[in-house]
Amino acid sequence: MCNNYRLDVDTTTIFEEFADLRIIIRFSEGAPNIEPRQDIRITDSAPIVRGIAGEPNAGDLVQRRWSWPGANGRPVYNFRSDGRAITAGRCLILADGFYEFTDPADKKKKRKDKWLFTRTGERWFCIAGIWRATQEVGEAFTMLTMPPGPDVAPYHDRQIAILNRADWAAWLDPSIAANTLLKPLPAGSLAVEQVG
């Protein structure tokens, strides 16, 4: 499952595209410094947009840790969305690509093959996530997962929940049912290339 993703997009582009969708971005902790990164890994801090109570078309842009400690001590970096209402703690995770790993086609290789998935025709996208406060690490977020769409199925039996651009504001509104927004993307929505 996704344990590595990328955000290599400038801040201006991010703010402009939220503005085009009429989503107001607030900065409760001041405007974060969003630097382009090729590899965001579990326990790294990364930008998310949290919903704001009483403001359905607004979000709070903050930097938070990716994953919180689970009951067994392992990091909870992916969380199954299947059959869950998800009525609190919703957030948008900003990305322009995510990685999946498969067993190497060449059995002589020791390292897994690494695949980069990007959104066809879009510079960046949002992954559906949830955040929570923990005693151990403070506030942290995780990515929601779902059954794979046709572009991911050849590589993995699950995938992260990528939201359609038109649904970003709706995801921040907990009164809108999660299952109406979390849907596999049609074939051809994701481009894939082998990297590394």
Side-chain angles (χ1 to χ4, degrees):
M1 209 49 260
C2 183
N3 60 14
N4 189 205
Y5 71 102
R6 182 178 87 174
L7 181 60
D8 193 12
V9 178
D10 62 279
T11 306
T12 302
T13 299
I14 291 169
F15 295 149
E16 285 174 353
E17 293 192 30
F18 274 121
D20 288 347
L21 293 169
R22 301 188 196 298
I23 298 172
I24 299 164
I25 298 297
R26 305 227 189 275
F27 308 103
S28 65
E29 299 170 358
N33 180 20
I34 302 174
E35 58 189 49
R37 291 164 51 196
Q38 291 293 314
D39 284 292
I40 299 171
R41 294 185 171 95
I42 299 165
T43 73
D44 286 350
S45 287
I48 62 170
V49 175
R50 305 184 297 186
I52 300 173
E55 294 189 55
N57 284 348
D60 184 22
L61 181 61
V62 295
Q63 297 262 19
R64 290 295 181 266
R65 173 190 154 123
W66 179 20
S67 77
W68 58 73
N72 57 7
R74 293 184 184 159
V76 177
Y77 57 93
N78 291 152
F79 193 81
R80 284 183 176 256
S81 65
D82 315 45
R84 299 180 191 270
I86 310 172
T87 57
R90 291 183 186 181
C91 66
L92 300 170
I93 302 164
L94 315 181
D96 78 336
F98 67 95
Y99 302 101
E100 291 294 353
F101 298 84
T102 60
D103 289 330
D106 178 356
K107 299 301 178 193
K108 294 177 186 175
K109 284 175 48 181
K110 293 183 180 179
R111 297 180 70 139
K112 292 190 173 215
D113 290 334
K114 185 176 183 179
W115 304 92
L116 171 64
F117 291 81
T118 55
R119 191 74 202 267
T120 305
E122 295 181 12
R123 290 200 52 206
W124 64 287
F125 54 88
C126 286
I127 301 161
I130 54 174
W131 68 276
R132 66 172 56 159
T134 69
Q135 287 186 328
E136 300 89 348
V137 299
E139 291 182 357
F141 70 91
T142 188
M143 296 179 176
L144 295 179
T145 68
M146 59 194 292
D151 295 330
V152 177
Y155 303 89
H156 207 286
D157 61 354
R158 301 282 299 167
Q159 79 165 65
I160 54 174
I162 299 170
L163 293 162
N164 284 310
R165 194 164 289 256
D167 293 333
W168 292 359
W171 181 252
L172 295 175
D173 182 351
S175 69
I176 298 174
N179 65 353
T180 64
L181 304 173
L182 304 178
K183 303 172 190 169
L185 300 171
S189 298
L190 296 172
V192 61
E193 64 178 299
Q194 190 169 2
V195 295

